[in-house]
Amino acid sequence: MIGNDDIFTRVSTVVRRTFQLDDSAPVTRETTSADVDGWDSLAHSVLLMGVEDEFGITFDAETMFELENVGALADLVGSRLAE
Amino acid sequence: MKPALIFYGNCQANALSLLFGSDASIAGAFSVHYLASFDDRIPGTSEIDPAAVASAAVLFEQFDPVHFPHRASLPPACVTITFPSVDFNLVWPLAGRNIFNDPPTPERLWGTFPYGDRIIVEAVKKGLALEEILSEYATTAVERLPNLDRFAELEWARLRARDAKCDVKMAEYVESHFRDINLFWCINHPTLEALRELCLRLIAAAARSGVAIPSGTLDQTLAALPPQGPLGILRVPIHPAVAEHFRLSWVPDATAKVYGLWGEPLTYDEYFRQMAECSIGVRDASPAAAAQ
């Protein structure tokens, strides 16, 4: 069972990799697309696929474009892993 | 005074207003106006004549969290019809922000290469020389492509989710036709074919709401335009592996000069070579240099 903190850490790592953020750039649960240069709809899909690969899961595509922030994405990963 | 048709949205809404406004039948019955919803760097698009708002018959509002700012001034009989931004990431999965784009100029308000490529950007960031950048692109692009089938599932879901919030829908049209018709020049610039379909759907939606917009001469109006239409000044190449995967029947051989940059026809290789050259500063792509 992966803890929520571990999930968030791994999700934030995928966020950093996707948007090529350096270690000094903050990624928190409250980080949104507006906070990250280049986080557009295309990059959002690339991020989602990166998270799917990271955790070996598949999201319900229909709900993936309403996520409010990185925390919500991490929570969704937790829910998916718990199913 | 003629009743007004108001378009509110991004550059696509501007293009729609230009098409409606250039059609003799429509312009004979309505005055046509545009207000930018964001990024209003095109002169004259950040404000709208209050008289037009007061006489509006239809507000065509592109879906956006920020609504038309003058809703309270619209006449009670004005019909509001929402429509989606018609954009399409699917065939440009390597696109990304171009941090090495030229600064904007009056002629090129978004710089020379507003549509970047992630591989080229990363190669430039690594400090590679021109031929190394192009070699990196040629050797790694295919392996850097995402899972295109999963990417497609997400893209259709994205477009359907946005359609669900709009009166006029376009996702199903794009999904049904993108293999056989060139619907986009780049991720957010539809071709005339796609714009025509959107025009017809907007007119049909207005008719359902009781506003008759004459469409009888629209096809003649569109046929008289240059084939690139109002949004085809930049035509971004599609990777051959992507074209093959999605069986895009209209994508020609990579040696054809069907792509383009500010009116200059380019092949697939020429386009990316120029992008790389500009990114590392060995090519001056400014309008002044091009004129010499």
Side-chain angles (χ1 to χ4, degrees):
Chain A
M1 184 75 177
I2 308 173
N4 288 342
D5 288 348
D6 290 339
I7 291 173
F8 176 76
T9 300
R10 287 168 63 181
V11 167
S12 62
T13 299
V14 179
V15 171
R16 288 183 185 284
R17 187 168 64 229
T18 302
F19 299 108
Q20 298 181 49
L21 303 177
D22 61 42
D23 291 341
S24 64
V27 176
T28 69
R29 289 185 56 84
E30 286 71 40
T31 298
T32 70
S33 58
D35 301 321
V36 180
D37 277 348
W39 192 337
D40 55 19
S41 61
L42 192 158
H44 188 72
S45 292
V46 172
L47 170 65
L48 295 179
M49 288 190 286
V51 173
E52 288 182 335
D53 287 346
E54 171 70 21
F55 292 94
I57 59 177
T58 302
F59 293 121
D60 173 7
E62 304 298 326
T63 63
M64 293 315 299
F65 294 91
E66 304 291 344
L67 295 169
E68 287 186 359
N69 52 34
V70 174
L73 177 56
D75 291 345
L76 197 64
V77 171
S79 301
R80 198 76 183 84
L81 290 172
E83 287 175 3
Chain B
M1 186 176 182
K2 289 184 285 190
L5 303 177
I6 297 175
F7 289 84
Y8 174 69
N10 64 17
C11 54
Q12 299 168 15
N14 191 16
L16 291 166
S17 75
L18 294 173
L19 296 179
F20 274 52
S22 61
D23 181 83
S25 298
I26 296 174
F30 297 92
S31 62
V32 182
H33 305 265
Y34 167 67
L35 180 68
S37 59
F38 74 105
D39 203 353
D40 55 358
R41 61 186 94 176
I42 297 176
T45 62
S46 62
E47 295 179 353
I48 189 165
D49 181 357
V53 176
S55 65
V58 182
L59 167 65
F60 291 113
E61 186 178 64
Q62 196 173 45
F63 175 75
D64 190 289
V66 180
H67 290 297
F68 180 67
H70 308 292
R71 277 190 167 196
S73 301
L74 293 168
C78 177
V79 171
T80 296
I81 294 170
T82 54
F83 65 100
S85 175
V86 185
D87 50 35
F88 192 52
N89 296 325
L90 187 60
V91 298
W92 292 281
L94 296 173
R97 195 167 67 96
N98 184 9
I99 61 174
F100 299 108
N101 192 13
D102 298 332
T105 66
E107 297 86 359
R108 296 175 184 176
L109 296 170
W110 287 267
T112 300
F113 283 97
Y115 301 97
D117 181 276
R118 293 204 304 276
I119 295 176
I120 288 186
V121 166
E122 289 169 23
V124 174
K125 282 170 96 173
K126 283 194 273 187
L128 300 184
L130 175 62
E131 295 305 326
E132 292 173 321
I133 294 170
L134 296 173
S135 174
E136 176 110 338
Y137 190 88
T139 55
T140 68
V142 170
E143 66 191 52
R144 293 285 305 277
L145 290 172
N147 177 331
L148 292 174
D149 291 329
R150 179 60 178 155
F151 189 51
E153 290 173 356
L154 292 172
E155 181 70 346
W156 301 133
R158 180 180 74 88
L159 298 183
R160 284 194 292 268
R162 192 168 48 196
D163 262 12
K165 299 168 181 167
C166 300
D167 300 316
V168 169
K169 322 288 185 190
M170 284 295 285
E172 173 271 338
Y173 169 78
V174 173
E175 186 169 0
S176 299
H177 294 87
F178 83 100
R179 287 187 169 82
D180 303 317
I181 305 172
N182 182 12
L183 298 177
F184 292 88
W185 299 120
C186 55
I187 56 174
N188 57 359
H189 282 180
T191 63
L192 261 185
E193 193 74 29
L195 286 172
R196 173 185 180 275
E197 183 66 25
L198 183 52
C199 285
L200 294 176
R201 291 182 182 216
L202 292 173
I203 290 170
R208 288 194 296 273
S209 297
V211 179
I213 300 174
S215 60
T217 57
L218 188 60
D219 277 336
Q220 288 172 258
T221 299
L222 300 183
L225 293 172
Q228 70 267 26
L231 295 172
I233 195 72
L234 293 168
R235 287 171 275 160
V236 178
I238 294 171
H239 194 285
V242 174
E244 182 180 354
H245 183 88
F246 290 117
R247 299 190 185 90
L248 305 181
S249 61
W250 48 271
V251 174
D253 183 271
T255 59
K257 285 183 180 286
V258 293
Y259 303 111
L261 191 66
W262 302 104
E264 180 186 6
L266 298 171
T267 67
Y268 182 94
D269 288 340
E270 289 169 344
Y271 185 98
F272 284 109
R273 175 174 285 275
Q274 286 202 18
M275 180 189 284
E277 289 172 342
C278 289
S279 298
I280 60 175
V282 300
R283 179 189 186 88
D284 181 359
S286 68
Q292 289 176 358

